[in-house]
Structure formats: structure tokens, C-alpha cells
Amino acid sequence: MLAWEPSKPLVMEEIEVAPPQAHEIRIKIVATGVCHTDLYHLFEGKHKDGFPCVLGHEGAGIVESVGSEVTKFNPGDKVIPLFISQCGQCRFCKSPKTNLCEKGWYDVMSESDTRFTCKGKKVLQFMGTSTFSEYTVVNEIAVAKIHPSAPLDKVCLLGCGVATGYGAALNTAKVEPGSTCAVFGLGAVGLAAVMGCKNAGAKRIIAIDINPTKYEKAKVFGATEFVNPKDHNKPISQVLYEMTNGGVDFSLECVGSVAVMRSALESCVKGWGVSVLVGWTDMDDFAARPIQLIAGRTWKGSLFGGFKSKDGVPKLVNEYLEKKVKLDEFVTHNMTLAQVNDAIQLMKTGDCIRSVLSVALQ
């Protein structure tokens, strides 16, 4: 499915996917989730020159062929393409302090690197992955080999949303047993953050959303309370302050709104409260009163849940197979790749948690 230009429906096109070059892998995509970051690039992003492109970055598939010098992957391997690479050689990969990689793509590939063409025109690959396609070509430093029994229509969600929220709670916030947490926004990322708080041993997990239908789903993942900001005539930070005797220990913003980011920070207890920015946005500046941090709160960000991608994703797949991590419960709609525009609309209206698209073309 090809995005020819911003803010327009995706179009089913036949594209040419070139053979993999050195250190590259061509993957037959079996299933892909539809993530809000895809919508962000299509409708809100600043990079209007990032078209035409093939969106999608939350997929799973099977290795179809490998380029020269690829030694750790073989045709038939089940894999998850990664929008955060792990080369293992750069200063970031060698540091335990971050999961960034200097060789990664965080937007669209350049024309010289993409392996897609359509009607004689170069087509860009979104975040180096492009899973809204029957085939894609990805550098081996951005591919995770996973357990051969893993169901691809479920573990694809570990390519972005679930790993992002779950790791934000465990790896970035470092939620502690017995603590009180607040999660702002109950899409897939927020629900995964709730699950992370639960698995970390939090005692109270307050789920916050303006859609009251989200609470029953949040309880499945471990939420103990629900607050709808629309039900109150005072700031949500004040509501939480009063509910928790001074603020929560940990808050996670999973919306991508700078206003909510500030509310999440101000909801933390002074002295040791930690607030994590998880929702993706690059549209606006964010701000807070300096006293919020001077008083001992910490404000930090999380990308892909802090997981080093090639190491972390296979472990998450194994945890799912061992029933330590939920995935099935995130999927509210199963659709086909041809229905991607319907899936996008469901996400825009908030009527789904995750739609998973079957990519095998009929």
C-alpha cells in the first residue's frame, strides 16, 4: 500500500522490491499492525518530502532471501523487522545507557538506500522497514530472528507499540514494587505501559483516558483505577494529587501531547516522582515550571521502551510464548492489507486498540 502524498488514502500498487544487497535481508511480511506513528507521518509530520513511501513499521514475516555476507539468517527464518537498529559497533550500541544506534533510520530512507520502485519512481521506506508491503528489504542490523513457533499475527505488535509501552515502565521509569503509577492514554502503548507497571509489582495503577470505554480493557492489563479528566472541573494533576496524598511515584505519558506531558509531570510526587514521555510527537515545544524539577521530580523520555532491539525483541517473544506478556488482548480487529485505510480510520476515531493486517495478497 503506497502513500503517494501526505493526508491522502493509501493506494494498492504493484511495486518492484529489489534483491537484497550485502548485509540485507528480503522479508515476506505475513502480518503488520497499524501504529499511530504511521498516521503521524501521513497526516501530521513535518517531512512533506518523505513521499511517495510505503508506511508500516510493526510487522513480522519470514526471510525470503539474503544478500551477501549475511551469515546469521536463512530463508524460512521467522523475523521481526526493527525501526531501531542494533549494529553492535557504535558508541550507543556499546553503551548499556541507551538503545539508540548511530546507523538507524528514524524517518524515511534516502532514495539511494530504498529498495522500492513503482512506475519508474523511487519509493521511500518508512523507518527503514515498510511493512505495508508483501515484501520488504531491511539491513540485517535491523532484523530480529524469533522463535520458530511464534504466531506472526500476534508477535508483530512487539515491533513497536507493545514493546514501547511495556519497556517504558520496566526499563525507563524502572517502576518499583508497591509503587503508585499513572498511565495517560489507553491506546496500545498505554495499555502496554499498564502491563509493565503490573509486572513490575506496582500496587496502584491509575489509568487515565477521555474515552470511558477503555477502562474495562485497562483492567485486563492490570489497572486498578480509572480517571476520566472530563469528569472533573479541576486539572487532572490536582485530581491525582488528592487521590494519592501528594502525587504518584511514576507517570507515563502515552498520548503524544505536550499538554498531557506537562500534566503527567505535575501529577508526580515531589522528591522522587518520575515522569516518562512515551507518546511520539515532534510538532510542539514542551514546557513546565522549573520548580517541578528543582523539587526532585525527574522528566525523561523513552524510545522503543529502552530495549536494545535485536537483543530485546526475541526475549519479548519468548516471554509471550511463556505467557508472561499479553499480546492477543491488544488485537481488536483482524483485517487485510487492502483494508488498511479502514484500519487507519479506526485508529483516528479511537475505535480500536490494534488492528492487525494480514499481508498475504489474495
Side-chain angles (χ1 to χ4, degrees), residues 323-338:
K323 302 190 184 307
K324 296 177 182 177
V325 169
K326 298 179 187 294
L327 290 180
D328 302 43
E329 293 82 357
F330 288 94
V331 181
T332 53
H333 296 76
N334 289 285
M335 308 170 80
T336 66
L337 181 62

Side-chain angles (χ1 to χ4, degrees), residues 257-269:
S257 160
V258 294
V260 179
M261 291 172 185
R262 180 168 185 166
S263 294
L265 174 69
E266 294 174 348
S267 299
C268 284
V269 67

Side-chain angles (χ1 to χ4, degrees), residues 221-269:
F221 292 98
T224 59
E225 297 151 79
F226 178 79
V227 177
N228 184 342
K230 289 186 173 181
D231 293 341
H232 301 271
N233 58 6
K234 62 181 75 171
I236 184 65
S237 57
Q238 185 65 30
V239 174
L240 293 173
Y241 182 92
E242 294 170 1
M243 287 176 62
T244 58
N245 188 31
V248 300
D249 301 306
F250 302 93
S251 69
L252 298 106
E253 194 279 351
C254 302
V255 178
S257 160
V258 294
V260 179
M261 291 172 185
R262 180 168 185 166
S263 294
L265 174 69
E266 294 174 348
S267 299
C268 284
V269 67

Side-chain angles (χ1 to χ4, degrees), residues 207-220:
I208 301 146
D209 202 289
I210 58 175
N211 183 347
T213 65
K214 296 288 184 74
Y215 182 40
E216 289 305 313
K217 181 66 80 169
K219 286 199 291 187
V220 170

Side-chain angles (χ1 to χ4, degrees), residues 185-198:
L186 300 177
V189 174
L191 292 172
V194 169
M195 179 171 66
C197 294
K198 171 76 180 309

Side-chain angles (χ1 to χ4, degrees), residues 72-242:
K72 296 182 179 179
F73 295 86
N74 295 293
D77 288 344
K78 286 188 177 181
V79 293
I80 293 178
L82 307 164
F83 71 90
I84 289 189
S85 57
Q86 186 183 349
C87 72
Q89 301 299 319
C90 72
R91 57 179 174 155
F92 293 134
C93 283
K94 290 181 177 179
S95 170
K97 297 178 181 179
T98 182
N99 64 337
L100 299 183
C101 174
E102 288 186 327
K103 297 181 181 179
W105 292 100
Y106 301 106
D107 192 46
V108 293
M109 278 185 164
S110 65
E111 286 196 11
S112 62
D113 289 296
T114 184
R115 301 291 171 253
F116 291 170
T117 55
C118 181
K119 300 176 181 178
K121 185 177 181 63
K122 285 279 191 178
V123 174
L124 304 177
Q125 289 181 241
F126 181 57
M127 300 183 88
T129 53
S130 289
T131 57
F132 293 173
S133 172
E134 192 177 13
Y135 291 91
T136 190
V137 176
V138 182
N139 192 291
E140 65 176 331
I141 65 173
V143 181
K145 185 191 297 188
I146 60 173
H147 197 285
S149 68
L152 299 178
D153 61 338
K154 300 297 190 298
V155 299
C156 62
L157 301 184
L158 294 170
C160 183
V162 174
T164 294
Y166 186 66
L170 289 175
N171 302 327
T172 310
K174 292 182 168 56
V175 170
E176 298 168 357
S179 61
T180 297
C181 302
V183 177
F184 290 74
L186 300 177
V189 174
L191 292 172
V194 169
M195 179 171 66
C197 294
K198 171 76 180 309
N199 286 8
K203 183 177 181 180
R204 294 179 70 185
I205 304 170
I206 305 169
I208 301 146
D209 202 289
I210 58 175
N211 183 347
T213 65
K214 296 288 184 74
Y215 182 40
E216 289 305 313
K217 181 66 80 169
K219 286 199 291 187
V220 170
F221 292 98
T224 59
E225 297 151 79
F226 178 79
V227 177
N228 184 342
K230 289 186 173 181
D231 293 341
H232 301 271
N233 58 6
K234 62 181 75 171
I236 184 65
S237 57
Q238 185 65 30
V239 174
L240 293 173
Y241 182 92
E242 294 170 1

